[in-house]
């Protein structure tokens, strides 16, 4: 079972979760790897995923690296190197075919533009993988989660579940209550709750049937 991982916003914790999931799957003896189709700015996300994937090189898990720390559409314009959606899809599908399970991590949130007339939602729809939504647990997460879930459902994609990622050690009232309210309002399972600084993940909810 491969997954596409999106987040409620930039900084929600997609890479942290994706790396933990890949490492947990590999610890179970599964040929799992992470894939980051596009990086903008630094390449830290790809470096983390490559390390979790059994020591692959960043270039293997990240075919498109744009240096400007902006949306891929804008970075491609600035560098005169626009993202080619067809080539990106082909590279992603080839990588998925080469491993038993692949965790494909998106860029930013659900609707981040990749190229003219093509955004991350289009890319995820073309891949057709079950989607995991990483929720950055902070004030505003309810709104961001509901909007993201509605948008994914509108595409007809399966949502495997949600991951609640605590962004700080100290939790305010919103962070404490978000989990229960989000589960109630979306009707989706919480697959994992990641405490700030946690370096492991229970793998069972992600093994599929």
């Amino acid at each position: 079972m491969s997954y596409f991982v999106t987040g409620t916003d930039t900084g929600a914790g997609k890479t942290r979760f994706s790396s933990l999931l890949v490492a947990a799957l590999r610890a179970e003896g599964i040929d799992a790897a992470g894939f980051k189709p596009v990086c903008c700015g630094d390449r830290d996300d790809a470096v983390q995923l490559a390390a979790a994937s059994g020591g692959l090189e960043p270039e293997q898990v990240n075919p498109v690296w744009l240096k400007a720390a902006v949306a891929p559409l804008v970075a491609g314009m600035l560098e005169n190197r626009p993202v080619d959606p067809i080539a990106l899809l082909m590279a992603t599908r080839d990588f998925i075919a080469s491993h038993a399970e692949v965790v494909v991590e998106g860029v930013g949130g659900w609707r981040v533009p990749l190229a003219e007339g093509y955004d991350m939602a289009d890319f995820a729809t073309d891949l057709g993988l079950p989607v995991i939504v990483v929720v950055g647990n902070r004030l505003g997460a309810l709104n961001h989660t509901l909007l993201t879930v509605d948008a994914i459902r509108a595409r007809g994609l399966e949502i495997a579940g949600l991951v609640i990622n605590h962004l700080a050690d100290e939790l305010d009232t919103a962070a404490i209550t978000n989990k229960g309210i989000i589960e109630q309002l979306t009707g989706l399972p919480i697959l994992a709750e990641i405490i700030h600084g946690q370096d492991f993940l229970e793998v069972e909810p992600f093994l599929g049937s």
Side-chain angles (χ1 to χ4, degrees):
M1 176 72 72
S2 294
Y3 297 102
F4 180 85
V5 176
T6 190
T8 48
D9 200 357
T10 297
K14 296 187 306 299
T15 301
R16 184 171 173 230
F17 161 70
S18 297
S19 298
L20 288 175
L21 177 55
V22 169
L25 290 168
R26 292 186 66 83
E28 293 293 315
I30 298 169
D31 174 26
F35 194 71
K36 180 81 173 184
V38 181
C39 280
C40 294
D42 61 45
R43 212 177 198 181
D44 290 349
D45 292 356
V47 170
Q48 291 181 50
L49 283 176
S53 302
L56 297 178
E57 295 298 323
E59 294 79 9
Q60 293 174 275
V61 305
N62 171 228
V64 177
W65 179 23
L66 299 164
K67 308 305 188 297
V70 292
L73 169 65
V74 181
M77 290 177 174
L78 293 174
E79 299 179 26
N80 195 28
R81 193 157 59 95
V83 173
D84 180 344
I86 294 177
L88 198 65
L89 280 167
M90 289 178 61
T92 306
R93 287 168 176 158
D94 285 347
F95 191 87
I96 290 171
S98 67
H99 295 277
E101 298 197 24
V102 172
V103 180
V104 180
E105 181 192 337
V107 179
W110 181 247
R111 290 298 307 275
V112 170
L114 290 174
E116 289 285 352
Y118 193 87
D119 63 16
M120 189 54 64
D122 296 318
F123 179 77
T125 301
D126 287 338
L127 280 181
L129 298 176
V131 180
I132 295 173
V133 181
V134 178
V135 178
N137 192 20
R138 55 191 165 204
L139 183 64
L142 296 180
N143 177 61
H144 291 160
T145 303
L146 292 172
L147 288 172
T148 302
V149 166
D150 285 349
I152 296 170
R153 284 173 167 161
R155 295 290 186 127
L157 293 171
E158 174 191 351
I159 304 178
L162 310 174
V163 171
I164 305 295
N165 182 43
H166 294 283
L167 301 171
D169 287 321
E170 296 186 10
L171 303 180
D172 58 17
T173 303
I176 292 169
T177 59
N178 278 341
K179 177 183 176 182
I181 300 298
I182 286 172
E183 194 168 21
Q184 175 186 335
L185 293 177
T186 64
L188 292 168
I190 305 296
L191 299 173
E193 183 176 5
I194 302 175
I195 306 304
H196 188 253
Q198 182 175 320
D199 60 358
F200 65 93
L201 193 69
E202 295 293 334
V203 74
E204 285 78 11
F206 303 96
L207 292 177
S209 56

